[in-house]
Every structure is written in structure tokens, then in C-alpha cells.
């Protein structure tokens, strides 16, 4: 009876180890701009016209894929597995207005006049924006402020 129990424990431990190893298996590969998803290339062309891609890579982790791009201006872009933008960080410029939802642009213009949005990140639940004065603001998908950090 003890042997059967020990075999079950060893099997479960081995399976857990194998699954945890698969989840952390990450691969990175450098890409050319042409190898980026079409949606990502269109985003770059539309919002950063005439700006050259300095570096691009894809990171693959188990069931997820993420594209990261650095432009020659120092702007960093992140795209999800289907190529839609998830994060924009501008080193020297403001994030293009067309990327920022209007209610968020309006809020920042009213409450932080004279300051620029230098970063924006979105996911299924919210938007996070970073201002040039160091403030970080979190908005729900309807553009209502839900949190901030200074």
C-alpha cells in the first residue's frame, strides 16, 4: 500500500514540475519590421509616420506572444499576440493624441494643464497613463479616473 501511495506522490510531483517548466519556457527572437503583424505595422505607420524602427522582437511564453518595438526616437511600443497595441512609452515626445481616448485627454487637459501624456498602457479592464510630471493615472474603460499615484 505504501508503494502505491509513494508512486502517486512521485507521479504528481513530476507532473507539477513538468507543467511549471512548460509555463516558464520563454523564447525571444529578433524581428525585422516586415515580420511584425500587419496590425502593428499599420499602427506604427499611422501614429509615428516616417519614424524608423530601431529594434523589434517577439517574446513567446507557453500560450502567449508579445511583440516589442523600439523606434529611433526612443519610443517603446508593445503589442499583443494579435498585433494590437498594449503599451506606448514616449521618451522625448507626448503620446500621439489619437491613441488616447478622448475622455482621458480631456481629463488630463483640465486637471494637468501644460503637462503631456508620455506613456499609456491598456488591458481588458483599464488604461494607465503616465504624465511628464511623474503622475500615473488609472482610468476605467469609460475614461473615468479610478486611481492615481504621484
Amino acid at each position: 500500500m505504501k508503494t502505491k501511495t509513494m508512486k502517486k506522490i512521485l507521479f504528481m510531483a513530476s507532473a507539477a514540475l513538468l507543467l511549471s517548466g512548460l509555463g516558464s519556457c520563454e523564447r525571444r527572437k529578433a524581428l525585422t519590421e516586415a515580420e511584425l503583424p500587419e496590425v502593428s505595422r499599420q499602427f506604427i505607420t499611422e501614429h509615428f509616420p516616417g519614424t524608423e524602427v530601431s529594434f523589434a522582437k517577439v517574446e513567446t511564453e507557453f500560450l502567449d506572444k508579445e511583440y516589442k518595438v523600439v523606434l529611433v526616437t526612443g519610443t517603446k511600443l508593445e503589442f499583443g499576440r494579435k498585433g494590437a497595441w498594449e503599451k506606448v512609452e514616449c521618451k522625448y515626445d507626448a503620446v500621439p493624441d489619437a491613441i488616447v481616448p478622448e475622455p482621458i485627454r480631456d481629463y488630463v487637459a483640465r486637471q494637468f494643464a501644460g503637462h503631456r501624456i508620455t506613456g499609456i498602457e491598456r488591458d481588458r479592464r483599464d488604461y494607465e497613463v503616465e504624465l511628464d510630471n511623474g503622475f500615473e493615472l488609472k482610468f476605467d474603460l469609460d475614461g473615468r479616473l479610478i486611481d492615481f499615484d504621484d
Side-chain angles (χ1 to χ4, degrees):
M1 192 66 140
K2 287 184 182 181
T3 305
K4 213 174 200 184
T5 305
M6 282 299 282
K7 283 182 182 180
K8 282 184 183 179
I9 291 172
L10 282 173
F11 175 76
M12 297 299 279
S14 298
L17 210 67
L18 177 65
L19 288 175
S20 70
L22 287 175
S24 65
C25 181
E26 186 177 304
R27 291 187 2 243
R28 296 178 183 157
K29 177 185 169 198
L31 301 174
T32 64
E33 184 176 357
E35 293 174 301
L36 290 169
E38 178 64 26
V39 174
S40 302
R41 291 194 317 266
Q42 287 175 352
F43 179 86
I44 295 168
T45 301
E46 180 180 340
H47 299 290
F48 302 94
T51 305
E52 191 178 327
V53 171
S54 178
F55 180 76
K57 70 178 178 178
V58 62
E59 293 181 356
T60 307
E61 186 175 324
F62 194 51
L63 297 175
D64 200 19
K65 188 181 279 192
E66 185 176 63
Y67 297 91
K68 295 187 178 187
V69 176
V70 177
L71 304 178
V72 294
T73 58
T75 296
K76 295 178 184 177
L77 310 170
E78 292 183 15
F79 301 95
R81 72 172 179 264
K82 293 183 180 179
W85 76 270
E86 293 180 346
K87 187 174 186 177
V88 176
E89 289 181 14
C90 295
K91 192 170 187 172
Y92 301 109
D93 298 316
V95 169
D97 283 345
I99 298 171
V100 183
E102 187 175 353
I104 296 174
R105 280 195 322 261
D106 292 346
Y107 181 89
V108 170
R110 274 191 325 273
Q111 300 297 324
F112 297 93
H115 291 283
R116 306 178 300 165
I117 297 174
T118 57
I120 186 167
E121 185 173 358
R122 71 176 181 182
D123 60 25
R124 291 177 286 159
R125 296 177 306 276
D126 54 45
Y127 287 90
E128 291 184 29
V129 298
E130 185 172 341
L131 305 180
D132 60 357
N133 63 356
F135 271 88
E136 294 178 10
L137 310 171
K138 185 183 271 191
F139 296 87
D140 66 15
L141 295 177
D142 294 323
R144 293 183 297 251
L145 183 70
I146 56 175
D147 197 9
F148 70 93
D149 192 14
D150 58 349

